[in-house]
Amino acid sequence: MNYEEKIIEYPPVHPGTDRTFIRFYEGEPNPKAMLLGGCDEMPQRVFVTDTTVSSLPCMDEFTAEFGTGKGAAANSVHKRRSGKDILVILGAGEPFKTIESVLSIVAAALDANGQRSTVFVGIGGGVITDMTAFAASIFKRGARCELVPTTLLSMVDAAVGGKTGCDFGSYKNMIGSFFPAQKIHICPEFIKTLPQSEYRSGLAEVVKTALLFSAPLFDKLESNPGILDGRGKSEFAPLISEMIRTCVSEKASVVEQDLTEKGMRMLLNLGHTFGHALETCAGLGKVAHGDGVAWGMARAADLSERLGLCTKEYAERVKRMLRSYTWETSEIHPAMEGKGSAGDIARTIFGAMKKDKKNSSSKVRFVLQRGVCDTVITEADEGDVLAVLGAER
Ligand SMILES: NC(=O)c1ccc[n+]([C@@H]2O[C@H](COP(=O)([O-])OP(=O)(O)OC[C@H]3O[C@@H](n4cnc5c(N)ncnc54)[C@H](O)[C@@H]3O)[C@@H](O)[C@H]2O)c1
């Protein structure tokens, strides 16, 4: 059949989203100085945070500007004493990453007479930064967005790269958009108040980035496992700051080349195919995301070795490093024990991988490695995957 085709082209719809300024701050976080300074001519801001972050001591002066403070209720909206800015406080954590939370940000902005020039500023972990950026992207067809990541994971991963969204029922991140922030304010010292489990979760993404893109960072992490319990120690401060900067710039360079995940951005899924499947099969909340990713990196190392991509020494090096950070590397994760025979468990996890949204065909694709900074994306036979999941035990 013949056909004629006409192409119509547009300038970028959101001129402000074609570049991101990333600011690194030193010292104690001071959100008031960071965000509320400046001239009276500032555009209106819709600040969004959660109940936990709004109660951090470093937020006191900031929240006081809005006539609120510790113990503010979830889903409360506060108007700044001077000017037109508002502060929306949502519930904390993944259960609140809902379309209702996103709509409550939109509703608060509408009530405050927000415009397309309004800047939505998310202050929090990945849940808050993902939802704030999503709300900005749909508000009046696209307002502006700035992010202040306060967890290690959101600094090194979630806030960088323009993926926004929320969960839908039990489906994670199923609603969303690509909408890069105009500015990201990174203050490493926010991580000092994080619960250890959240810090550890972020560290898994740091290790992933080092394996993918930075041999020097991997070497340093390998020789400094004390960083796991060393957040408060001044000896680790330079390494923590360096690891955050390295991860941010490596992720930034990936998304600069592939914002919408058509190619090299997929590399960032190292450990995630196995990890997500484990999280799903173990039952909601049983395995922390970072722990799943770390275990997934160990499984990816074993699969790489099995397929002849890397040496046994390399796979052992990766697993030894992960174990030194107390992550599980065995074929069958303890969270799956009691869920059937080794073969049953392996098949359950493999089944979950096949359902993952990132697998377009029935074959499962894996991010595997020949060595540090030498990564390939490839499919693998079911038998090989089952073997590294312990089916042959
Ligand atoms: N957009 C992306 O590219 C991307 C990438 C990775 C992850 N994510 C998303 O990020 C989310 C996970 O992010 P997260 O791990 O930051 O979880 P989170 O946002 O739920 O934060 C974890 C907990 O730590 C609290 N918290 C935040 N900062 C704190 C601080 N400085 N001190 C003490 N407590 C603090 C939060 O209130 C929350 O209870 C997931 O929803 C995931 O889908 C997005």
Side-chain angles (χ1 to χ4, degrees):
M1 264 202 277
N2 293 330
Y3 61 88
E4 275 183 17
E5 191 170 66
K6 179 179 166 66
I7 300 174
I8 49 174
E9 294 182 25
Y10 308 95
V13 179
H14 303 292
T17 61
D18 57 356
R19 71 173 62 166
T20 300
F21 295 85
I22 304 178
R23 291 187 184 166
F24 292 95
Y25 294 79
E26 280 177 7
E28 292 263 314
N30 185 342
K32 183 180 170 196
M34 211 154 60
L35 301 168
L36 296 180
C39 56
D40 296 339
E41 311 280 292
M42 296 285 273
Q44 178 192 38
R45 270 89 50 89
V46 171
F47 295 100
V48 182
T49 191
D50 68 29
T51 46
T52 304
V53 175
S54 66
S55 298
L56 295 176
C58 66
M59 290 289 284
D60 286 352
E61 287 184 14
F62 178 85
T63 50
E65 284 281 317
F66 295 84
T68 183
K70 289 188 189 12
N75 284 322
S76 56
V77 181
H78 309 267
K79 198 169 173 326
R80 193 169 170 193
R81 292 182 195 279
S82 61
K84 45 202 184 303
D85 297 341
I86 58 166
L87 170 65
V88 182
I89 301 180
L90 301 171
E94 195 72 30
F96 294 91
K97 197 178 178 186
T98 60
I99 192 69
E100 288 77 19
S101 293
V102 174
L103 293 178
S104 69
I105 302 171
V106 169
L110 282 174
D111 284 348
N113 195 26
Q115 306 296 322
R116 254 184 220 161
S117 56
T118 297
V119 187
F120 289 64
V121 187
I123 311 168
V127 166
I128 290 295
T129 56
D130 276 13
M131 289 198 297
T132 307
F134 183 37
S137 78
I138 56 175
F139 187 76
K140 300 197 172 178
R141 301 198 172 83
R144 298 198 281 155
C145 173
E146 293 186 19
L147 299 174
V148 185
T150 62
T151 62
L152 180 57
L153 184 122
S154 58
M155 288 180 206
V156 300
D157 196 359
V160 185
K163 277 191 186 176
T164 85
C166 64
D167 302 333
F168 187 70
S170 58
Y171 297 98
K172 241 181 97 61
N173 296 329
M174 278 295 149
I175 309 176
S177 58
F178 285 100
F179 196 77
Q182 287 187 325
K183 278 188 201 152
I184 304 173
H185 307 261
I186 295 184
C187 197
E189 292 209 6
F190 262 119
I191 67 168
K192 285 194 172 159
T193 50
L194 275 182
Q196 179 65 9
S197 58
E198 301 295 343
Y199 172 62
R200 201 171 119 102
S201 206
L203 271 182
E205 299 290 349
V206 171
V207 172
K208 177 201 79 177
T209 308
L211 280 173
L212 288 172
F213 305 115
S214 175
L217 179 60
F218 186 70
D219 291 346
K220 285 182 192 168
L221 293 169
E222 193 178 35
S223 46
N224 285 288
I227 200 174
L228 178 65
D229 296 308
R231 271 180 291 165
K233 297 182 188 155
S234 55
E235 66 189 279
F236 289 115
L239 179 54
I240 289 176
S241 173
E242 180 191 336
M243 83 188 184
I244 292 172
R245 277 170 180 266
T246 304
C247 291
V248 169
S249 66
E250 293 300 346
K251 180 156 185 200
S253 112
V254 171
V255 295
E256 259 184 340
Q257 297 169 67
D258 180 24
L259 179 68
T260 55
E261 203 168 22
K262 302 269 187 330
M264 79 176 293
R265 189 167 183 166
M266 286 187 229
L267 297 181
L268 298 173
N269 292 322
L270 176 65
H272 284 63
T273 310
F274 286 105
H276 279 159
L278 172 67
E279 282 179 66
T280 307
C281 298
L284 214 63
K286 289 270 163 49
V287 178
H289 177 68
D291 293 346
V293 170
W295 177 80
M297 289 190 282
R299 295 302 84 232
D302 274 353
L303 187 56
S304 303
E305 183 197 338
R306 190 175 171 95
L307 298 186
L309 291 167
C310 75
T311 60
K312 185 174 178 55
E313 287 68 39
Y314 178 68
E316 288 303 328
R317 181 184 174 199
V318 171
K319 289 189 287 178
R320 197 168 45 246
M321 186 275 177
L322 294 168
R323 278 194 297 275
S324 73
Y325 278 69
T326 71
W327 281 306
E328 186 60 48
T329 62
S330 58
E331 294 160 324
I332 298 176
H333 194 281
M336 293 301 290
E337 266 158 24
K339 291 185 187 282
S341 68
D344 291 340
I345 292 172
R347 278 185 291 277
T348 305
I349 293 192
F350 187 67
M353 284 177 188
K354 287 204 285 195
K355 280 198 195 147
D356 194 300
K357 70 176 185 291
K358 284 175 181 143
N359 290 304
S360 41
S361 70
S362 59
K363 289 241 180 168
V364 185
R365 271 184 302 177
F366 293 91
V367 182
L368 301 179
Q369 289 206 295
R370 296 193 184 95
V372 182
C373 303
D374 188 354
T375 310
V376 285
I377 298 178
T378 184
E379 291 176 347
D381 287 340
E382 180 168 344
D384 290 318
V385 182
L386 293 177
V388 300
L389 289 170
E392 292 173 356
R393 260 206 210 169

